[in-house]
Amino acid sequence: MEKLLATMPKEYKHSARRFKRAVEILTTEPEPEVGLTPKETIWKKNKAKLYRYVPKQETTHRTPILMVYALINKPYILDLTKGNSLVEYLLDRGFDVYLLDWGTPGLEDQDMKLDDYILDYIPRAVKKVLRTSGASDLSILGYCMGGTMTSIFASLHDDLPIKNLIFMTSPFDFSETGLYGVFLDERYFNLDKVVDTLGNIPPDMIDFGNKMLKPITNFYGPYVTLMDRSENQRFVESWKLMQKWVGDGIPFPGEAYRQWIRDFYQQNKLIKGELTVRGRKVDLSKIKASVLNIAADRDHIAMPQQVESLMNVISSQDKEFKLLNTGHVSVVFGPKAVKETYPCIGDWLVKRS
């Protein structure tokens, strides 16, 4: 390559160097390390683990915070790297931080339902956080689908001391879901056949569906951008981190997936008040905790109108909807996340913890 570069006309050399660098990044460089904030596992159930992050300083806010992520991908997006980690940011501001990691389901978990996660796992994690912290109440932050599940949990457990709820790009109203609605229309998408055939839904299938929302941007865009900016080491480091997380998907338990698509995307039961979990009706108006509801104006996975609809049904007196100029993932990772999302969450929590 170096010999070839030496013979090239000057105007082509820069492009050739960038191409050479991009090839090195893709083929020879190791994957970046992620989830570096020190933590300890304080509770386990099946594949799930509850982490408590080791504080860097004395905890100055009495109310601990529990983070709940979705059933797809891995939750280290909340702690991707030093200096770009919501977990690290909250620790630095004196919070006692916990994270519920669902783990990686196996074939033996294909019968797991949303009911199991919402009624068996989250309540026990909440009680463990309260016992460990010694606090009398707690805050819960749900990101993406994790926020939707948290809203159901909170509405069914108004007896638990949930002081604050933060929802971050979580969909609640599925009446308008863009291309998802087309892809998952029950007239064309045989949901039962998919689940009955596959058991657990492979992460590649979920990833493919997400990328098809913007196929050119999602399939080719990252590599075109890498070629263009391959000599910018700071960009390269961020690019490698994001690509690692995007490609690090986990299977979606089959029965939970069946519920998620049918009850939410196809029948929109949650916002209508028609959803039941183990025979218990989910009534979002029972949510009375303080609520910060964050949407991203460039989010095509949980569009702003899907997120904002929650504000019309909850009973909270202290509630705030925040629309940030970012996307579904960049709301939690990247320069805008560090400058806008993290302080938005931190400042809101400080006043209520």
Side-chain angles (χ1 to χ4, degrees):
M1 189 67 181
E2 294 298 335
K3 290 179 180 179
L4 181 62
L5 281 170
T7 62
M8 280 184 174
K10 185 177 180 180
E11 59 267 28
Y12 298 132
K13 285 185 178 180
H14 183 53
S15 295
R17 281 198 304 268
R18 287 184 302 178
F19 175 77
K20 176 177 179 287
R21 177 71 184 117
V23 171
E24 292 172 351
I25 293 164
L26 292 170
T27 60
T28 64
E29 293 194 357
E31 288 188 343
E33 293 184 345
V34 294
L36 299 178
T37 304
K39 59 184 178 292
E40 57 180 342
T41 302
I42 61 171
W43 175 81
K44 293 180 182 180
K45 179 174 172 61
N46 192 12
K47 310 296 169 37
K49 296 179 180 179
L50 177 63
Y51 302 126
R52 184 186 192 184
Y53 288 91
V54 179
K56 298 181 179 180
Q57 59 191 34
E58 182 181 354
T59 300
T60 55
H61 303 295
R62 183 174 299 174
T63 305
I65 178 166
L66 169 64
M67 296 182 172
V68 179
Y69 186 55
L71 296 177
I72 56 175
N73 288 101
K74 293 185 178 178
Y76 62 72
I77 186 65
L78 296 163
D79 180 35
L80 203 52
T81 190
K82 186 174 176 59
N84 216 313
S85 161
L86 178 56
V87 168
E88 180 188 53
Y89 175 84
L90 292 173
L91 284 174
D92 287 343
R93 293 202 63 171
F95 287 96
D96 191 9
V97 183
Y98 300 77
L99 171 68
L100 181 55
D101 181 347
W102 299 116
T104 302
L107 285 174
E108 66 276 13
D109 300 307
Q110 61 185 313
D111 293 328
M112 290 282 292
K113 302 178 72 173
L114 293 177
D115 308 39
D116 302 313
Y117 293 107
I118 292 167
L119 295 180
D120 294 338
Y121 286 69
I122 300 179
R124 295 187 187 184
V126 163
K127 291 173 182 177
K128 184 65 177 180
V129 168
L130 291 170
R131 285 197 300 270
T132 303
S133 65
S136 57
D137 52 28
L138 85 162
S139 303
I140 306 178
L141 181 150
Y143 177 29
C144 184
M145 179 189 179
T148 314
M149 294 167 66
T150 296
S151 72
I152 298 168
F153 158 75
S155 70
L156 293 174
H157 293 84
D158 52 355
D159 57 316
L160 291 176
I162 304 169
K163 187 173 185 180
N164 306 305
L165 289 168
I166 300 172
F167 302 111
M168 190 163 63
T169 61
S170 299
F172 303 100
D173 184 352
F174 295 79
S175 57
E176 294 181 25
T177 57
L179 282 177
Y180 274 139
V182 178
F183 296 160
L184 300 171
D185 190 311
E186 55 191 332
R187 292 174 295 175
Y188 318 119
F189 183 67
N190 192 331
L191 174 62
D192 290 329
K193 187 172 184 179
V194 170
V195 176
D196 294 343
T197 301
L198 297 175
N200 291 333
I201 307 305
D204 290 347
M205 179 176 166
I206 303 292
D207 183 54
F208 183 81
N210 288 337
K211 286 179 176 176
M212 282 299 292
L213 297 176
K214 290 187 175 181
I216 301 300
T217 299
N218 292 328
F219 284 107
Y220 302 107
Y223 301 99
V224 172
T225 308
L226 176 64
M227 292 283 256
D228 188 51
R229 304 180 65 183
S230 61
E231 293 183 308
N232 181 333
Q233 188 56 31
R234 186 172 181 180
F235 166 80
V236 168
E237 289 172 359
S238 294
W239 188 91
K240 288 167 64 177
L241 285 162
M242 184 49 56
Q243 292 307 305
K244 176 179 173 59
W245 178 76
V246 168
D248 203 6
I250 59 175
F252 199 133
E255 289 305 318
Y257 179 82
R258 197 194 307 264
Q259 285 178 287
W260 180 241
I261 301 303
R262 176 163 290 146
D263 290 352
F264 295 81
Y265 279 94
Q266 293 181 344
Q267 299 180 10
N268 196 23
K269 288 184 177 181
L270 177 61
I271 204 73
K272 291 179 180 178
E274 299 173 359
L275 182 69
T276 58
V277 177
R278 283 191 191 159
R280 299 172 61 184
K281 187 175 180 179
V282 177
D283 181 0
L284 293 176
S285 68
K286 290 188 176 182
I287 294 177
K288 299 176 181 178
S290 297
V291 169
L292 173 63
N293 193 16
I294 297 173
D297 65 358
R298 292 187 281 108
D299 192 343
H300 54 279
I301 293 177
M303 295 182 289
Q305 69 269 20
Q306 291 184 263
V307 179
E308 188 175 11
S309 293
L310 178 74
M311 309 303 286
N312 300 323
V313 295
I314 59 177
S315 299
S316 307
Q317 295 299 308
D318 176 19
K319 57 183 179 180
E320 179 179 353
F321 175 72
K322 194 80 172 178
L323 182 63
L324 300 180
N325 179 222
T326 184
H328 189 75
V329 178
S330 54
V331 73
V332 75
F333 173 74
K336 284 204 170 185
V338 174
K339 293 178 182 178
E340 297 181 26
T341 309
Y342 297 179
C344 173
I345 293 172
D347 294 345
W348 188 88
L349 273 175
V350 163
K351 298 174 184 177
R352 297 164 176 81
S353 300

